[in-house]
Amino acid sequence: MGKGRIKLGMLGGGKGAFIGIAHRIAAYMGERYELVGGAFDSDYDKALEFASDLQLDASRVYPDTETLIKKENLLPESERIEVVSIVTPNFLHFDMAKKLLEGGFHVVCEKPMTMTSAEAEILADLVKSSGKQLCLTHTYTGYPMVRQMKTMIAAGEVGTIQRVDVQYYQGWINPLIHDEKLRKSIWRLDPKRAGISSCMGDIGVHGFNLVEYTTGIEITAVLSDLNTLYKDNTLDVDGTVLLRLAGGAKGVLRSSQIATGEENNIMIMVYGDKGALKWQQENPNELTLLKENHPLQILKPGHSYNAQFTKDSTKMPPGHPEGIFDAMGNLYRGMAKAVRGEKLENGEFPTVQDGVRGMHFIEKVVKSNKDGNVWITI
Amino acid sequence: MGKGRIKLGMLGGGKGAFIGIAHRIAAYMGERYELVGGAFDSDYDKALEFASDLQLDASRVYPDTETLIKKENLLPESERIEVVSIVTPNFLHFDMAKKLLEGGFHVVCEKPMTMTSAEAEILADLVKSSGKQLCLTHTYTGYPMVRQMKTMIAAGEVGTIQRVDVQYYQGWINPLIHDEKLRKSIWRLDPKRAGISSCMGDIGVHGFNLVEYTTGIEITAVLSDLNTLYKDNTLDVDGTVLLRLAGGAKGVLRSSQIATGEENNIMIMVYGDKGALKWQQENPNELTLLKENHPLQILKPGHSYNAQFTKDSTKMPPGHPEGIFDAMGNLYRGMAKAVRGEKLENGEFPTVQDGVRGMHFIEKVVKSNKDGNVWITI
Amino acid sequence: MGKGRIKLGMLGGGKGAFIGIAHRIAAYMGERYELVGGAFDSDYDKALEFASDLQLDASRVYPDTETLIKKENLLPESERIEVVSIVTPNFLHFDMAKKLLEGGFHVVCEKPMTMTSAEAEILADLVKSSGKQLCLTHTYTGYPMVRQMKTMIAAGEVGTIQRVDVQYYQGWINPLIHDEKLRKSIWRLDPKRAGISSCMGDIGVHGFNLVEYTTGIEITAVLSDLNTLYKDNTLDVDGTVLLRLAGGAKGVLRSSQIATGEENNIMIMVYGDKGALKWQQENPNELTLLKENHPLQILKPGHSYNAQFTKDSTKMPPGHPEGIFDAMGNLYRGMAKAVRGEKLENGEFPTVQDGVRGMHFIEKVVKSNKDGNVWITI
Amino acid sequence: MGKGRIKLGMLGGGKGAFIGIAHRIAAYMGERYELVGGAFDSDYDKALEFASDLQLDASRVYPDTETLIKKENLLPESERIEVVSIVTPNFLHFDMAKKLLEGGFHVVCEKPMTMTSAEAEILADLVKSSGKQLCLTHTYTGYPMVRQMKTMIAAGEVGTIQRVDVQYYQGWINPLIHDEKLRKSIWRLDPKRAGISSCMGDIGVHGFNLVEYTTGIEITAVLSDLNTLYKDNTLDVDGTVLLRLAGGAKGVLRSSQIATGEENNIMIMVYGDKGALKWQQENPNELTLLKENHPLQILKPGHSYNAQFTKDSTKMPPGHPEGIFDAMGNLYRGMAKAVRGEKLENGEFPTVQDGVRGMHFIEKVVKSNKDGNVWITI
């Protein structure tokens, strides 16, 4: 384990790829990473040009994952890339993550981690056996007020949970789905490239993750009602999932990509016998606390009343709104602490286990719907 | 059919009964009713005292429904009570409404209309055969922006509906349910007095009604997951219902009486292929319209851009918030128009048919849960 | 002093006059008044027709104020009108109120009470000498959360006040003022009918009243900067007023009738050394409390944490929004208590003294602007 | 003028200085700068240690501005620092900026640019004569929806402006000012270190800048009413300023550091004869548009309906909230374009002229108050 900045590599994220920019900014934010190379583009010439824009040494630009692994491992440990961020198309994630872990690298992986739960389990085993870290960018867990929500629930602030309600509504597939040609042309609805689910696989799973993250309780069974809207479309674009949590609490997960006009409307509400907490992603710096016979309370970042974990997840005084890059930056910061063996708070970044659970969720939700809206145990 | 003010009678609603006050204010608002008598209290002396407070003639204060019907029918038509409002405990509604309709009176009935769908069907038949009106006070349909929502959907503003999501969250049963003695003591959880359902019967049914009212589409099947929280409690206090609408659209209804800290949080979201509309009861004078590639729009009462029906449902210029009494007043106004044979907009007040559908909804939701969360056709 | 319902008369408020409807609904709400007659219209035939709609006895419909006073005084005390509501054009208020007070009637008067402070002082003297009540309908003081604000400030919740900021923005004059003909045609900009001020006289004065009502502190001096927008327009349609409060606190009042697109956007913010309170009229059921190192709190009506005065000013449980009619209803209820000699909370209705102070405010604000934006003592 | 990344230096911003972090993140965000050195700390050893954390070459760590200038100028142009960010205490800004401009460097300067308008004018002359750029970090102008507001106003969307209202409320001085010792101990209230004004100098000037930025119109005169709260405190902590804009529009600027409980509550409202626009910093991704007879509209970033300048100021699709670091990042990006001679939109970063106008504003506001609340021309 080295000192100083962590050497960072990247797979994908070449010119114009906004997800690559997001990961780089997140890495820069904590001033703990130094981007030194990667395999940025399947077109090697473009990769070289892009690397030159970033002022990177051409010798650290690789044509593919295998070469990166081989060549970096020839470098002295102090110069070698330690963490590699995977920001390629989804179907490549598993293979890349597998090779990187086997090759001795820590991995930051965009969501979804894999295409199947079987693959996810393989990665989980590999993380265990390799001793390397894997950070899955369920970015919403990096928001300070989501962390405050988790901390408060853990501290018993809302008591025993008796209802959970999570929503993830987007509308972006609506303008594409009503024309047959158009809907056949988008990768998100192509099972070969997108896997077995569109709505639940891409965004519903974030809702699932937020429930487990904030409550600290596992979802044990699901009953789903999915909608593909057209018969010739095989992947869900909308759905509702009844939830059963360990301990018996009930809940519901609602998700749609055809909620026309919605942008990225994630919301979570957790009701316990002592109070309730609510959070919305599009207004991420407010956490609402409901208590019987008390005024509604709105907590915000930067205040002394927040938990230490929350305070550490913000960089500015109250009233200076931070956003989604800052949330992702918090995940990268957590990963840096893990890589350097520093003490971590519970929940500083989503791990391979979150990826495993997410893939199980997706598969079980699809199965429940296929089997006629029946309960399936996770 | 007389002219001038409609003579109004009331069953229940005696001293201190806030629902009686609400109905009287609603009736006063449009200046089309004149309260002349009723059977206000099971204690006749209290009824007389109360009537004296209201400056009513003691001769029009009756000990019970039967006497009211008999005595009023002896009066000349021009003096006789024409409409009777039923604001007694729920289990009395059916019998009273039946007798009133048979006795030749129009009826305004508090919700729920009956205890069973069989009773509801009887009233529906009676309304038909008697030619009398029945107004069921699903008060939320009286809000101007709910009416605007209905009108815009009917006009195709959101296109073909592809998702419906309705919520009704309250928290008032939470402080009562966790103590065994306490929860056994409240009438709302006693099947004899409350019927087969608490949460769905009392508030979920409002959500059901709002969906059918605003979309103009019937809900054809339900799959429910209800929660009684304790084994010795037999009535649901929380639940989620998957919805199927005529034409195939899917939806979800979420309702709870143990959503700790929630007041009266009703919300409806309707997503079509051309746009979406959202409304929240606690902020009733805003209607949100989402359109792809357009700024979010918020419509408010009193503006020229609203439909005529909406304009007629408000009394003040923009920016002067009206509330729930005004909403109920709009139902009473609609009922007055019906009683006087004036031209009605579609949806000026909920009728006996809304009551019939509501009772079917409650029964099917309870059955779906009992049968193991399966689809039941309504 | 009689018992039972208070006999109410009305000057103005004939067919179609929305302010008359508002006053009648407000009077009905508490079930303490009975409208028995009035001089509703300068056209006596129309008045009779209107009274017939309201089911009033034609013998109590009068051609003018003088006749009402004379004839009613011939009736036995138990039948006689006790309170008269003045809802005529502004320039008639003073003369009517004066005659009514001299004639032995209590008065409810729409705002503005008079055209000049001299007239206001005359009414104040008359109220004193006659022992009759005058209620000036500064309706916003009837909202429960405004009363909660007043009560909390009086109880020291925000400590010593160090800044006050009040806003009243409307946009309705904008579409009328830019055309010379149009602006010359509206009575609101005609000094003969509207008095010396449009914006400050009509709405700024509400802001002034809200400051004094909620803080319990008098405004002692003003420095104003008014805007008539066009040289040929003599009355202000927009302005800012620097405020000095007794005790030295500073503040600002901002008001406009050309704030394009604004409906009725009243807002008050009071900052003390221990906390702050904020309220907005268009969302009247929320009162925001700020405290250092505490989450922002939002108080709502119907809760046990509110003051008794607040609780008494609402009729429904939490989450059932009441509106502006309910607010005015609270003033009428307070007036009824005063007329019947019942115990009053501090601030149940605005009195003739509020009218006196309001007129002084308007005159001093106009003078300050005319004299070149200088401080004028009130 | 070189190519590739711009070499960035920094004065101040050493270990733990959050403003330094903000500037570095802002510089990293666009991937156009490379931090190579600076004079980070008055303690040279600490500076070296800090630079080592940042992985910087020790040879580029300087004890002071003068050495930085001298040594960097000895380097070949391709290696030399091109832009220096000044994030030191306020009283040092002028001297540093002056030397840097004279020494041939572009400058990014934290606010306030100088302590007096005379100094500001000197810098303005120097910018002119040197041909170097100066970017003053009025960060709020970097928010996408502020830029959208500016663009829409310039395009005539609200027509001729007739009222401007800007607010900047904070509460942080409240807990410090009521104790005599405490208030004497904070630099912000010490004229030697803070200049002639606290509230107006630190935050009021942001409001001034936002008005001129969004409207594109100069403020020509001010009349102020400032509050020091205690006699032994010489600097304003609160105040209201009446504004006169070129062309005659009127407005008001309200600012406070003792608005207890407020975080960083900046708000601007611009009313024209065709519509109005409103923006709030604590909810920066919403821009409200009011139009007569139209629903209220809320514009958000990332949408096709926004201007190109707005689109270029955001990195993510709609619904992914960006924050204050992103806003500052936009200023750095604009500065990079200027340094590299690329085509600029109008308003990509605040220049030395904004600094000059800001200093005049502060001086005139203080003078107006001192002279007895009189109009002073800017």
Side-chain angles (χ1 to χ4, degrees), chain A residues 24 28 31 55 263 303, chain D residues 5 24 28 31 263 303:
Chain A
R24 290 196 299 276
Y28 302 146
E31 303 192 310
Q55 313 269 82
E263 299 180 345
H303 285 286
Chain D
R5 294 283 179 108
R24 290 196 298 276
Y28 301 147
E31 301 190 312
E263 299 179 345
H303 285 286

Side-chain angles (χ1 to χ4, degrees), chain A residues 162-163 165 169 174-175 225-226 238 240 244 250 254 258 260 262 271-273 278 292 373 375, chain B residues 162-163 165 169 174-175 178 225-226 238 240 244 250 254 258 260 262 271-273 278 292 373 375:
Chain A
Q162 53 202 21
R163 180 171 188 86
D165 187 336
Y169 281 173
N174 181 64
D225 182 29
L226 307 183
D238 174 282
T240 305
R244 197 71 78 251
K250 298 190 174 188
R254 304 167 285 119
I258 52 162
T260 306
E262 293 285 7
Y271 297 97
D273 61 354
K278 307 203 241 183
E292 280 157 359
N373 318 116
W375 285 103
Chain B
Q162 54 203 21
R163 181 171 187 86
D165 187 336
Y169 281 172
N174 182 64
H178 300 295
D225 182 29
L226 307 182
D238 174 282
T240 305
R244 197 73 78 251
K250 298 191 173 186
R254 303 167 284 119
I258 53 162
T260 306
E262 293 284 7
Y271 297 98
D273 60 356
K278 308 204 241 183
E292 281 157 359
N373 318 116
W375 285 102

